[in-house]
Amino acid sequence: LNTVTGEETPVRDIKILNPIDYRKREDSKQVEFDIILETDSGELFDVEMEKQPDRYFRNRCVLYITKLCDKSLDKGELYDKMRRVTMVSFAGENFLGDTESYHTEFSIRDETGRSELSDRMRFHVIEIDKVDRTKPIAEMTGLEKVALYFRYANDPNKEELIEKLIDSGEEAIIFAENIFRELTADDIAYEKMLARQKFLWRYGSGLSAAREQGLKEGIEKGLEQGRSEGEASGRAAEKLEMAKALKAKGVDIDIIAETSGLDAEEIEQL
């Protein structure tokens, strides 16, 4: 948050308001990308990440922050006690195509931009795909490093870049990396998590719901067979069930193959 907002008075502590269990498991580990929190100064934040924002994303951001405004003033308090609310969105795919900067801040102003109605509401949109990837890490700002980290944290082909970003000493990256490693404590769950996150980031909110349902059904059935039989046929059934469920939801064959480890030809025959 300090890296995004650049406020003179830094955030020193936070309290997460929406119930999140960082160790939550279904059949593999789950990561939340929508977090509502309160800072030590009482300000409220909604932090969201969406690799492929859909056409409703802008209006959804407005809805989220207005709901947050309902929490910014306790019953009976005077309006000058209203706490600031801030929406922070890490988005991909050049979400705001008409802007050059990767970081855009919005507030409530008149159409000329000179007069501000209130300073109690802020939007920060960080378009991770707009960060200059050719820029030397030593010359990047803290937020540029963080955006680049979020862009490639789950890409096994960018491990060298991630290591350089971590070695840069940026506090926000080190913090995020430690949480990520904590979430992926064992190697098998770590690999499953990478596949799940890569899929989720690539296909966005529209297909992620279908994928979650299909993946859950496939893994549950596969793991149930694997536990009962205790042999390789259970694991094979798990992959087949997962692939079948994803195919039924209209997911691209190449992505099913990448996620399940099955051959494209085998998936076509399901």
Side-chain angles (χ1 to χ4, degrees):
L1 298 181
N2 294 326
T3 305
V4 172
T5 63
E7 296 286 346
E8 292 183 3
T9 304
V11 174
R12 302 187 183 280
D13 195 14
I14 63 170
K15 178 173 68 173
I16 294 177
L17 302 181
N18 55 334
I20 294 176
D21 182 357
Y22 283 113
R23 294 185 177 276
K24 176 181 177 183
R25 285 178 180 264
E26 291 174 353
D27 284 308
S28 58
K29 297 188 178 181
Q30 178 78 18
V31 172
E32 298 286 349
F33 289 105
D34 186 7
I35 302 175
I36 299 174
L37 57 91
E38 180 181 359
T39 70
D40 53 308
S41 64
E43 295 190 18
L44 300 173
F45 282 81
D46 189 334
V47 182
E48 181 175 287
M49 298 184 188
E50 193 152 349
K51 181 64 178 70
Q52 265 191 329
D54 57 32
R55 61 193 181 98
Y56 306 112
F57 186 64
R58 298 186 188 214
N59 289 340
R60 193 163 66 247
C61 288
V62 174
L63 178 63
Y64 286 173
I65 201 170
T66 52
K67 287 187 175 182
L68 206 57
C69 285
D70 289 340
K71 301 177 181 290
S72 66
L73 193 67
D74 293 333
K75 186 176 181 179
E77 281 189 316
L78 298 177
Y79 288 108
D80 61 353
K81 300 296 184 182
M82 180 180 177
R83 294 175 288 171
R84 177 182 288 181
V85 297
T86 303
M87 179 86 187
V88 178
S89 296
F90 287 88
E93 297 236 326
N94 294 328
F95 170 54
L96 302 173
D98 53 350
T99 64
E100 294 183 2
S101 174
Y102 73 96
H103 178 202
T104 307
E105 181 179 358
F106 298 91
S107 60
I108 306 177
R109 295 180 176 273
D110 69 356
E111 292 187 357
T112 67
R114 291 191 294 268
S115 179
E116 186 174 45
L117 177 65
S118 172
D119 66 349
R120 299 293 86 186
M121 186 183 294
R122 286 284 190 277
F123 295 85
H124 289 270
V125 178
I126 298 93
E127 298 174 272
I128 58 177
D129 288 344
K130 282 186 178 179
V131 176
D132 184 0
R133 307 165 199 174
T134 64
K135 188 175 182 179
I137 293 178
E139 298 177 10
M140 289 184 176
T141 65
L143 185 54
E144 284 177 318
K145 295 176 185 177
V146 170
L148 206 60
Y149 173 84
F150 284 143
R151 174 66 178 83
Y152 293 114
N154 301 326
D155 189 339
N157 296 320
K158 298 293 183 179
E159 290 182 357
E160 183 177 351
L161 173 62
I162 296 301
E163 289 179 4
K164 290 180 179 179
L165 289 170
I166 296 172
D167 291 341
S168 72
E170 182 60 41
E171 185 178 1
I173 292 178
I174 296 174
F175 180 74
E177 178 71 9
N178 287 338
I179 291 179
F180 183 67
R181 296 306 172 189
E182 180 182 354
L183 289 169
T184 56
D186 60 271
D187 292 339
I188 295 177
Y190 175 65
E191 293 301 327
K192 289 182 179 179
M193 170 96 119
L194 289 181
R196 286 169 59 83
Q197 286 184 324
K198 187 174 182 180
F199 183 91
L200 181 61
W201 277 72
R202 181 175 295 176
Y203 282 87
S205 59
L207 287 179
S208 65
R211 177 262 177 194
E212 284 291 329
Q213 180 181 354
L215 182 59
K216 182 178 179 180
E217 293 173 355
I219 291 178
E220 284 179 351
K221 292 179 181 178
L223 288 179
E224 184 178 350
Q225 292 179 10
R227 292 189 190 102
S228 62
E229 297 176 3
E231 47 191 37
S233 60
R235 292 191 295 272
E238 173 195 348
K239 293 181 179 180
L240 289 172
E241 290 291 344
M242 178 177 66
K244 187 184 298 182
L246 293 176
K247 185 180 179 184
K249 297 296 181 181
V251 178
D252 185 84
I253 295 297
D254 291 338
I255 298 304
I256 299 176
E258 182 179 355
T259 304
S260 66
L262 299 174
D263 293 334
E265 294 181 359
E266 188 176 0
I267 296 170
E268 289 280 5
Q269 297 175 2
L270 293 176

